[in-house]
Amino acid sequence: MNTIINDNPLRQGMRLKRLPQPCTLIILGATGDLTKRKLIPALFSLFKQELLPQQFRIIAFARRPKTTADFVADMRQGLQEFAGIAVNDRQAEQFLALLHYHQGDFTEIEPHRQLAGVLQRYEAENGVPANRLFYLATPPSQYEAIVQNLGAAGLANSNNGWTRIIIEKPFGHDLASAMQLSGVVGGVFREEQIYRIDHYLGKETVQNILVFRFANGIFEPVWNRRYIDHVQITVAETLGVEGRGRFYEETGIIRDIMQNHILQLFSLFAMEPPAAFDATAVRDEKVKVLKAVKPLSPEDIDRKIVYGQYAAGSLLGKDLSGYLQEEGVAPDSITATYIAMKLYIDNWRWAGVPFYLRAGKRLPKRVTEIAIQFREAPLQIFGVAARDEIAANVLTLKIQPDEGISLKFDSKVPGPGGNIRPVTMDFRYGTSFGETPPDAYERLLLDAMIGDSTLFTRADENERAWEIITPALEHGQKLSVLPQYSAGSWGPAEAEELLKRDRRAWRRL
Ligand code: BG6
């Protein structure tokens, strides 16, 4: 019998259980929303699937005075709310017993030294290697202090095991601060220890972009300027800023979604085939395509970008206030909650193909997708009269919430009339695999424990993404008012104009 040894993590992930070595996860900023809402439910799900190592422990490190029992009670309540567990769930209690609370101020070295002591004692008592995964779930303003204190407390390396650090987005506030942060983190940790997380890369449907493109032979030949008219990438949310007004004032849609989530979708979609499915080859190709993006020039930026801010409106019968009325938002704020932007890639595959990217809060529907509109057939032998509706061929990669892929093409309407109408061919994850995809954080936490950084952002990739959006950020700051759109609508009228000028239209979703 032939044994195929396969190092491909995606394949292994599908076929085999990938088990990490014994390790300790240290969540810094563990009393924040992310831990309760995302990290603990994802870890609990891995625990239930027996994907966590036998000897595993979670240290929750935060400033608030709490006991381990208090913290466990908070997380139990979080699991009830976000993972739907029942009261007295036996598995949940076994999982919660892995938690330990460590109190301290991130700006001081001492709590980090004490943490080193806690880790060493635990590792010695249990005879486990010093494998440590730090997760920075604090506000980004604390990253530098934490990294320096971890270094000063001797926690950047261990003699007997590996040390890795996961850093939540946003990694930097602009190009200069991203480079500064890279310098600080890079002064303490080596690049291969650093895992910059963008949770979009953990989504099954996002990983499937690569499988769809490179595991199938039939799509790659048409994946270029000869066949594709244009591409639309949409990240639409019904949510507003959800009580995070102050955070959003500093962030805005460009930093929150465009710099990371959308540019990740964009680069996976447009990159060249990597020579292998590994962290270096995949990320090299992503950087290459980001480098080929044509810079937005000050002369025509007005014609390539539309900003927007939601005003009061209504959604599903509910009245919603405008962004300026949200708590923590300045009454004259020019923070964008919507952006639409046109980019070109200057390379042989994509020259001349517009990529229309849009993201917005308080839009009518939650939907993330990449839609590829193909060129028309060279000759319309059926004539326009035969068509009930003019429609191009569109291939849609549906990232969420109706995960799947669909292809729209023309078909003959049954009957003697010879009419033509577009129909769709659909693949749905739920129907084909009988399950809904796991949460993105499960995959990413597991990969970081295993030491696979393919689905994490490299420093050069992150910096290139900042470079692409810097002109958009700078231009936005010069505006005194932003185009408004009613909450619950598809964005400002100016966004429609952006495509109309090119004789195209946004998809109606
Ligand atoms: C986060 C942003 O990164 O992504 C949020 O900070 C946004 O503002 C969220 O709501 C969207 O993620 P998802 O997985 O719901 O599409």
Side-chain angles (χ1 to χ4, degrees):
M1 195 180 84
N2 282 341
T3 310
I4 300 171
I5 298 177
N6 197 329
D7 286 337
N8 179 327
L10 197 65
R11 289 243 184 99
Q12 285 185 359
M14 287 185 217
R15 285 206 236 126
L16 309 169
K17 265 193 183 174
R18 296 189 300 147
L19 277 182
Q21 295 165 348
C23 62
T24 304
L25 171 68
I26 305 103
I27 305 175
L28 297 102
T31 48
D33 217 34
L34 181 74
T35 307
K36 194 175 193 173
R37 220 176 242 280
K38 292 287 180 190
L39 304 184
I40 293 293
L43 289 161
F44 179 51
S45 174
L46 292 173
F47 177 81
K48 284 193 293 188
Q49 296 168 71
E50 298 179 3
L51 289 171
L52 291 180
Q54 280 295 328
Q55 277 149 315
F56 179 69
R57 199 171 183 226
I58 303 166
I59 298 186
F61 182 178
R63 190 180 39 87
R64 286 184 216 171
K66 265 183 200 290
T67 61
T68 293
D70 295 335
F71 184 75
V72 165
D74 290 347
M75 295 304 115
R76 183 180 294 116
Q77 184 262 323
L79 285 177
Q80 283 161 9
E81 193 176 340
F82 301 111
I85 63 155
V87 182
N88 293 331
D89 180 304
R90 270 216 10 244
Q91 259 186 325
E93 291 310 314
Q94 285 164 2
F95 168 75
L96 290 166
L98 303 174
L99 298 176
H100 171 87
Y101 190 74
H102 179 75
Q103 192 266 328
D105 187 330
F106 298 129
T107 60
E108 294 167 5
I109 296 189
E110 200 40 41
H112 297 78
R113 290 211 181 103
Q114 287 163 0
L115 174 66
V118 170
L119 286 165
Q120 278 154 10
R121 269 195 305 283
Y122 164 74
E123 287 151 3
E125 279 164 16
N126 293 279
V128 289
N131 292 330
R132 298 157 182 178
L133 178 60
F134 294 95
Y135 196 122
L136 301 198
T138 63
S141 54
Q142 297 186 313
Y143 290 170
E144 290 189 16
I146 293 176
V147 165
Q148 271 155 349
N149 284 329
L150 288 175
L155 283 168
N157 285 296
S158 67
N159 293 334
N160 161 31
W162 49 256
T163 301
R164 299 179 190 132
I165 183 163
I166 302 183
I167 305 183
E168 257 297 331
K169 75 167 252 282
F171 195 86
H173 190 69
D174 52 20
L175 179 61
S177 57
M179 290 173 76
Q180 144 91 14
L181 180 58
S182 276
V184 172
V185 180
V188 177
F189 294 94
R190 295 182 311 280
E191 178 62 28
E192 63 269 24
Q193 294 180 284
I194 307 168
Y195 288 66
R196 293 171 202 80
I197 206 164
D198 178 323
H199 78 279
Y200 262 56
L201 291 174
K203 291 182 191 276
E204 289 285 328
T205 41
V206 174
Q207 292 161 45
N208 200 32
I209 298 172
L210 294 183
V211 176
F212 184 76
R213 288 190 60 193
F214 304 130
N216 298 296
I218 66 168
F219 304 111
E220 203 47 29
V222 298
W223 216 259
N224 56 54
R225 62 192 301 278
R226 275 190 295 286
Y227 297 94
I228 294 179
D229 175 75
H230 76 275
V231 180
Q232 295 186 16
I233 303 184
T234 303
V235 175
E237 294 184 88
T238 53
L239 293 179
V241 294
E242 310 302 299
R244 297 189 303 163
R246 206 152 295 136
F247 158 81
Y248 212 76
E249 278 288 89
E250 285 181 21
T251 315
I253 194 93
I254 308 182
R255 291 189 175 91
D256 196 35
I257 305 283
M258 187 61 80
Q259 190 270 346
N260 33 76
H261 303 332
I262 289 205
L263 287 184
Q264 286 297 333
L265 297 176
F266 170 83
S267 52
L268 292 175
F269 171 85
M271 70 189 226
E272 293 302 311
F277 189 75
D278 65 40
T280 305
V282 169
R283 297 189 299 179
D284 282 351
E285 293 305 335
K286 285 167 75 188
V287 172
K288 244 163 69 187
V289 74
L290 290 174
K291 279 189 178 157
V293 169
K294 189 177 182 150
L296 291 159
S297 68
E299 295 77 51
D300 66 352
I301 199 159
D302 267 347
R303 298 177 67 79
K304 293 208 176 133
I305 296 193
V306 173
Y307 308 82
Q309 191 182 65
Y310 64 82
S314 71
L315 187 59
L316 300 172
K318 217 173 121 197
D319 286 338
L320 298 167
S321 49
Y323 178 69
L324 296 181
Q325 287 83 53
E326 304 274 8
E327 208 189 312
V329 171
D332 55 352
S333 169
I334 50 152
T335 301
T337 60
Y338 177 96
I339 175 125
M341 167 165 163
K342 175 161 82 163
L343 286 185
Y344 286 98
I345 303 174
D346 278 345
N347 67 14
W348 276 50
R349 184 188 287 270
W350 295 117
V353 177
F355 285 76
Y356 299 102
L357 317 176
R358 63 175 163 171
K361 295 263 183 209
R362 286 280 189 244
L363 300 186
K365 209 173 161 186
R366 176 174 185 247
V367 47
T368 298
E369 61 157 48
I370 305 178
I372 303 122
Q373 181 161 328
F374 290 91
R375 287 180 187 273
E376 282 185 10
L379 183 68
Q380 291 296 346
I381 58 168
F382 299 108
V384 179
R387 291 167 180 271
D388 289 355
E389 206 181 299
I390 305 272
N393 296 143
V394 180
L395 178 70
T396 311
L397 309 180
K398 299 173 171 186
I399 309 297
Q400 61 189 22
D402 300 318
E403 290 88 357
I405 295 175
S406 79
L407 178 64
K408 187 163 88 173
F409 56 92
D410 281 336
S411 173
K412 181 180 175 308
V413 178
N419 283 14
I420 295 175
R421 205 165 69 199
V423 293
T424 55
M425 208 151 71
D426 273 325
F427 148 64
R428 287 164 191 269
Y429 272 79
T431 315
S432 298
F433 297 115
E435 54 185 286
T436 44
D439 187 79
Y441 279 94
E442 285 182 36
R443 170 67 193 248
L444 294 175
L445 282 162
L446 190 62
D447 278 7
M449 285 185 239
I450 288 168
D452 179 357
S453 56
T454 312
L455 300 177
F456 293 82
T457 316
R458 213 166 57 187
D460 51 351
E461 194 182 340
N462 180 55
E463 282 159 22
R464 185 60 201 128
W466 280 117
E467 254 168 52
I468 292 172
I469 61 139
T470 297
L473 285 171
E474 287 173 352
H475 187 64
Q477 270 147 17
K478 287 191 210 131
L479 305 174
S480 48
V481 277
L482 291 184
Q484 302 283 301
Y485 61 99
S486 309
S489 73
W490 277 108
E494 288 83 344
E496 299 299 327
E497 281 303 310
L498 181 78
L499 270 74
K500 230 190 214 165
R501 278 200 294 275
D502 298 349
R503 295 170 195 241
R504 297 188 177 103
W506 290 111
R507 282 162 50 73
R508 304 266 159 250
L509 302 174

